[in-house]
Amino acid sequence: MPKKQQSIPDDDPDLAALLTTLDEFLRSRELPVGELLIEFFAVHGSTRPASDAYTLVDNLSFTAHRYRRQATESPQD
């Protein structure tokens, strides 16, 4: 059974923009963000720090996309 999608919370209309900004930052090639995220996971005990870092970035990207899509589909007051 597919999971029911949650709609964007009414009290946080800028969530799609925030997630998009974070996604762009984490995927930045100008800064060593990816390497630092891998190091973060390693320091915090991850047995697969690179995989965990890339999975986090991908999940954020998919979530940002979903919220952007919902924001464009939702009627604005």
Side-chain angles (χ1 to χ4, degrees):
M1 174 182 291
K3 285 177 25 176
K4 182 181 178 185
Q5 281 193 349
Q6 295 179 335
S7 61
I8 298 173
D10 292 335
D11 59 342
D12 198 354
D14 296 324
L15 184 57
L18 172 63
L19 291 173
T20 299
T21 300
L22 288 171
D23 180 40
E24 291 171 359
F25 172 73
L26 290 173
R27 292 182 185 279
S28 172
R29 297 200 186 274
E30 293 82 25
L31 301 170
V33 177
E35 291 83 3
L36 291 171
L37 190 55
I38 292 168
E39 185 177 326
F40 171 83
F41 276 104
V43 167
H44 285 86
S46 173
T47 57
R48 301 176 315 157
S51 177
D52 289 342
Y54 296 133
T55 298
L56 175 74
V57 172
D58 287 344
N59 284 337
L60 177 69
S61 181
F62 293 136
T63 302
H65 174 74
R66 180 171 59 90
Y67 275 81
R68 282 192 308 270
R69 189 181 72 233
Q70 285 181 329
T72 60
E73 293 173 356
S74 298
Q76 300 295 322
D77 293 348

